[in-house]
Amino acid sequence: MLICVAIVLGFLLDLWLADPAWMPHPVVFMGRCITRLENLLRAGLPATPRGERMAGRILAFMLPAGTLLLTGGVCWLADRLHPLAGLAVQTLWCWQALAVKGLAVESRNVYRYLAAGDLPGARKAVSRIVGRDTQALTHEGVTKAAVETVAENFSDGVAAPLFYMLLGGAPLALCYKAINTMDSMVGYKNERYLHFGRAAARLDDVANYLPSRLAALFWIGAAVLTGANGRQAWRIWRRDRRNHASPNSAQTESACAGALGVQLAGPAYYFGEYYDKPTIGDATRPVEPRDILRANRMLYVAAVLAGAVGLVCRAGVLYLLR
């Protein structure tokens, strides 16, 4: 019961406050740990493909395991001190593991710049939420990037943390965040991380496999409830959900592209390197800035659906196990 209450309170706090800039965030500490561990491991192991793969495996074990042990220990100690203290810690970390409002706010900032005709401002705003190079993006490219990141990050910023919260509370959700943060920092197929980041990328693929598919189904449900094209979302998801190097990234992107009736993805530059990525969806109409707002509406509805269904499922399982 405590975990269910903490999830509801954390969800509401995220919808209300997002991530206040003044509040220390666990992901920031995770990022610092990743950097320090990477430096230590690279210095301590041979700079060969085999040595880098070994260093990457050690990192991929140490960060999630350490996160789970540390946060689990803090939650246990807080609960032993007083149940309300345990609830407070769980609520805080459930709140910080979610990113519904923050994602909507950042993408809406991109929309405002586009609506005002300020392309340089829109490029700068979208660079805060995407990993690709943005300095040469066109008006359409910025719009597509914003829509894609709303859809993709619903999976790893909302649905997946919720999934792991429901299984193991805030500690397991933060363990997932450690895996996801690690992948976002070292999981690239470039010269520096081709070998070192391989274990982190594969671990992220495994951790997101089921949540990403559930996220796509919730997105399709949200498309129906918001007046978007739910049937087309289902069709494009079934057809294009594998149109990505990652087994998970195109799941929600394809559902979003179908719901909006636009074409997403395609070639992009990352760290100056060109990637010929396949497209997702059909170009039945040009993508437009208001598609960012439409994606945000589906984001909120899909998040509420995911939370409600997840809590009902958890409550049902707990009832059956009584």
Side-chain angles (χ1 to χ4, degrees), residues 112-313:
R112 290 195 184 102
Y113 281 109
L114 289 171
D118 184 355
L119 182 57
R123 288 170 175 163
K124 185 176 180 180
V126 82
S127 71
R128 291 168 53 88
I129 53 174
V130 300
R132 74 193 65 181
D133 298 344
T134 62
Q135 61 270 22
L137 287 179
T138 62
H139 188 278
E140 181 186 27
V142 171
T143 306
K144 287 172 62 175
V147 171
E148 289 166 23
T149 201
V150 170
E152 184 178 351
N153 281 287
F154 167 66
S155 178
D156 57 23
V158 183
L162 269 173
F163 178 81
Y164 289 105
M165 269 179 224
L166 290 159
L167 290 179
L172 195 58
L174 290 178
C175 178
Y176 164 77
K177 294 296 287 186
I179 294 170
N180 191 243
T181 303
M182 191 166 52
D183 177 62
S184 70
M185 290 182 66
V186 306
Y188 295 100
K189 292 183 178 180
N190 55 24
E191 184 178 353
R192 178 175 177 82
Y193 291 118
L194 178 62
H195 300 289
F196 183 85
R198 185 175 300 178
R202 288 179 176 173
L203 183 59
D204 186 72
D205 287 343
V206 172
N208 278 299
Y209 190 86
L210 182 55
S212 66
R213 283 146 182 81
L214 293 173
L217 296 178
F218 287 124
W219 195 279
I220 293 167
V224 174
L225 293 174
T226 57
N229 195 328
R231 181 175 296 180
Q232 187 78 342
W234 172 263
R235 185 181 74 82
I236 297 298
W237 173 65
R238 294 278 297 168
R239 190 191 75 187
D240 291 351
R241 67 188 188 273
R242 298 185 182 89
N243 283 10
H244 200 283
S246 162
N248 306 316
S249 294
Q251 298 291 327
T252 44
E253 279 189 46
S254 57
C256 183
L260 294 174
V262 299
Q263 188 174 83
L264 300 176
Y269 283 88
Y270 293 84
F271 303 106
E273 189 171 345
Y274 178 81
Y275 288 83
D276 189 17
K277 298 164 61 178
T279 58
I280 296 172
D282 295 328
T284 55
R285 64 171 180 84
V287 67
E288 61 183 20
R290 290 194 66 83
D291 286 323
I292 299 172
L293 303 184
R294 296 179 184 115
N296 279 343
R297 283 197 292 272
M298 287 188 279
L299 166 70
Y300 277 112
V301 173
V304 172
L305 275 177
V309 170
L311 287 168
V312 169
C313 290

